[in-house]
Amino acid sequence: MITGRYPRHHGMTTNGRTMHAGLVTLPGRLSQAGYSTHAVGKLHLQPIMADRSLGYPESVPFWQAGYGAGWNGPYFGYDTVDFMIGESLLATEAGHYAQWLRSHHPEAVALYQPEAALDRPLADLDEAWTSGVPDALHYNTWIADRAIEFLARAEPPFLLFVSTPDPHHPFSPPRPWSDLLDAASIPAARVVPGELERMPDYVRVRLGADWIDNDAAPVEQGGMTVTDTISPESLARAVALTRGMEAQIDHQFGRVLAKLDAMGFTDETIVVFTSDHGEFLGHHGLLHKGPPPYGDLCRVGFVMAGPGIPGGECSPAPSSHLDIAPTLLELAGIDSPGARGDGESLVPVLRGGHLRRRERFLEFHPRIDARVYNHSIVADGWRLTLYPAGDPHWGELFDLEADPGEHRNLFNDIVFRARRDRLAERLVSCFPARPDAGTALIAKW
């Protein structure tokens, strides 16, 4: 989002790595142009378990060593920051929020743990519960409060990045959000019997042990797991809790937008609302996220509003997070080729035109099992995924028009071999495999 570059080009291909030094960033370029730039919440631009000797402000050891006292930036182009590090169970360990909570409400620190839940964690899904933290002290409220404080003192032009770690597992919003929906009203997850049998077989088994542990359990990027041992009732409860998290976010971000309006900034401010990734939530018989680039994970909400942006319209343009930096820079009238990276400005789309881009490319870099590295092309109503180091039968081919939910993998179906081969040739030519493109792995997370 802040570099406009693919991970293969900025180097942070997985958690536990950093970006290449010296890259132009969106907040940095805006700061140079005279904007006040501030970030609130979770940024995830450095490994959160990096050793304290590295001096990374977004790491837990940095704060445990006392280095965070009095520090609030600059950081990757943001003049100032208010950090919330990790999510849920890590929220009280480090960062400005943890510092605030421990100083002003130490009695609430233990309330994030499942032992303090207002209802018992589910027997077959022990990461679903109602948090004991009062809503007024929850990190999402604190994030909105800090954003509102910034707006109260801001003078245009400014960039404000407001980031919540939710919705994210564990599924543990506080009341009243946890009770907003009855689990019995949640539609069943979309699962076609036998669909995972057509997928690469790693999807159905736990991946191997991790060699960088940081005192955490072995897990591949995203913690993907099958739902075979989770009851439909428990899965529905997790979904209801997730919707509660989303409602809490809507409420808190609504408070921020109300402050923007109260300050008289709305008519001259561009607002972008998006997310970093999706969640399976039981679809395909899976939970969390992981290597296979299903649309459940890769297609996220993206909303823009502001001067020069038509309201109430929806575009099918093949847009990407790569496009945020070049789009905002063009709308701000700032020429900065170094920050455009791999993206494409969406301004032509906002004005009724089209993108030059004909396809989208996706990539997953593993931390444990090199075989699950994959790269993908989405084009002409199809999605093809290749696993260059995996089993020869591993691959994914989906007809997104006939099967928009991606339940029938056609990769090994001889009827579609010609289509598969044409897409593969295009993928390998335009976005060749780069499994070793990341910077050094220095921590688990």
Side-chain angles (χ1 to χ4, degrees):
M1 293 187 192
I2 71 165
T3 66
R5 298 174 184 269
Y6 285 110
R8 61 168 56 193
H9 293 149
H10 63 57
M12 194 173 173
T13 54
T14 71
N15 290 328
R17 304 176 195 268
T18 61
M19 294 188 290
H20 293 300
L23 293 179
V24 176
T25 67
L26 171 64
R29 187 63 191 91
L30 289 172
S31 180
Q32 292 171 356
Y35 280 65
S36 297
T37 57
H38 184 68
V40 180
K42 180 179 177 182
L43 275 68
H44 224 332
L45 300 179
Q46 290 176 331
I48 63 175
M49 298 306 296
D51 189 85
R52 66 186 63 187
S53 65
L54 296 173
Y56 290 162
E58 211 171 350
S59 73
V60 173
F62 176 90
W63 291 81
Q64 290 176 337
Y67 302 154
W71 181 90
N72 71 333
Y75 191 68
F76 285 95
Y78 294 109
D79 301 327
T80 51
V81 295
D82 286 307
F83 274 159
M84 189 265 155
I85 296 176
E87 61 277 323
S88 189
L89 300 181
L90 266 178
T92 63
E93 297 298 314
H96 297 102
Y97 170 71
Q99 195 174 58
W100 171 84
L101 190 68
R102 289 177 176 274
S103 296
H104 297 281
H105 303 280
E107 75 285 355
V109 170
L111 299 181
Y112 274 103
Q113 300 306 311
E115 294 78 12
L118 300 184
D119 55 8
R120 284 182 176 275
L122 303 172
D124 56 347
L125 186 55
D126 62 2
E127 53 183 347
W129 69 83
T130 297
S131 174
V133 180
D135 184 50
L137 303 182
H138 194 271
Y139 51 75
N140 284 328
T141 303
W142 179 88
I143 288 169
D145 288 345
R146 299 292 84 73
I148 288 168
E149 286 181 5
F150 172 80
L151 290 174
R153 64 178 186 271
E155 293 185 6
F158 60 80
L159 168 69
L160 172 61
F161 180 72
V162 188
S163 174
T164 167
D166 292 338
H168 196 285
H169 62 94
F171 312 100
S172 57
R175 284 180 175 155
W177 314 107
S178 60
D179 302 331
L180 205 62
L181 290 178
D182 181 357
S185 69
I186 301 296
R190 300 186 302 271
V191 181
V192 173
E195 64 173 288
L196 294 186
E197 299 297 322
R198 302 176 69 96
M199 292 291 288
D201 56 18
Y202 78 83
V203 175
R204 304 187 299 277
V205 299
R206 184 176 178 85
L207 296 173
D210 193 356
W211 52 276
I212 289 189
D213 60 20
N214 276 136
D215 300 321
V219 65
E220 185 51 90
Q221 294 278 116
M224 183 178 71
T225 184
V226 295
T227 60
D228 292 356
T229 61
I230 303 172
S231 71
E233 293 76 17
S234 294
L235 194 56
R237 178 60 177 156
V239 176
L241 291 168
T242 298
R243 301 300 175 231
M245 284 191 261
E246 293 167 349
Q248 185 192 27
I249 293 165
D250 284 346
H251 172 73
Q252 297 298 347
F253 284 6
R255 292 177 57 223
V256 176
L257 293 177
K259 183 63 176 181
L260 187 78
D261 198 49
M263 296 296 295
F265 296 151
T266 298
D267 291 342
E268 58 184 2
T269 302
I270 297 162
V271 177
V272 175
F273 182 83
T274 189
S275 179
D276 55 346
H277 58 74
E279 229 274 11
F280 286 123
L281 289 178
H283 298 312
H284 313 287
L286 300 169
L287 195 63
H288 305 327
K289 54 192 183 293
Y294 282 112
D296 306 81
L297 306 182
C298 300
R299 295 189 65 190
V300 297
F302 184 82
V303 179
M304 288 187 70
I309 300 173
E313 296 189 12
C314 182
S315 171
S319 58
S320 164
H321 283 145
L322 298 169
D323 304 330
I324 292 176
T327 300
L328 294 183
L329 287 170
E330 181 171 349
L331 289 172
I334 297 173
D335 182 30
S336 185
R340 298 181 187 273
D342 300 310
E344 183 175 348
S345 173
L346 300 176
V347 169
V349 177
L350 300 177
R351 295 173 178 168
H354 301 279
L355 292 178
R356 295 187 303 274
R357 179 186 297 127
R358 294 177 53 219
E359 63 274 293
R360 287 179 291 126
F361 297 109
L362 312 173
E363 190 170 32
F364 180 87
H365 290 264
R367 286 189 304 110
I368 300 172
D369 189 339
R371 298 175 303 158
V372 304
Y373 167 84
N374 62 71
H375 61 147
S376 305
I377 181 172
V378 181
D380 307 326
W382 292 79
R383 192 254 293 175
L384 172 74
T385 298
L386 300 180
Y387 294 80
D391 184 291
H393 297 291
W394 284 8
E396 302 171 40
L397 179 67
F398 290 99
D399 182 343
L400 301 179
E401 294 182 3
D403 179 25
E406 299 176 308
H407 297 287
R408 183 175 174 80
N409 183 11
L410 303 172
F411 186 81
N412 290 309
D413 193 323
I414 194 170
V415 175
F416 300 95
R417 184 66 52 82
R419 168 76 65 173
R420 186 189 83 179
D421 291 347
R422 286 196 299 272
L423 285 169
E425 182 179 359
R426 194 163 157 191
L427 171 60
V428 172
S429 172
C430 298
F431 197 74
R434 290 281 306 278
D436 301 319
T439 56
L441 185 62
I442 59 177
K444 186 184 182 88
W445 306 118

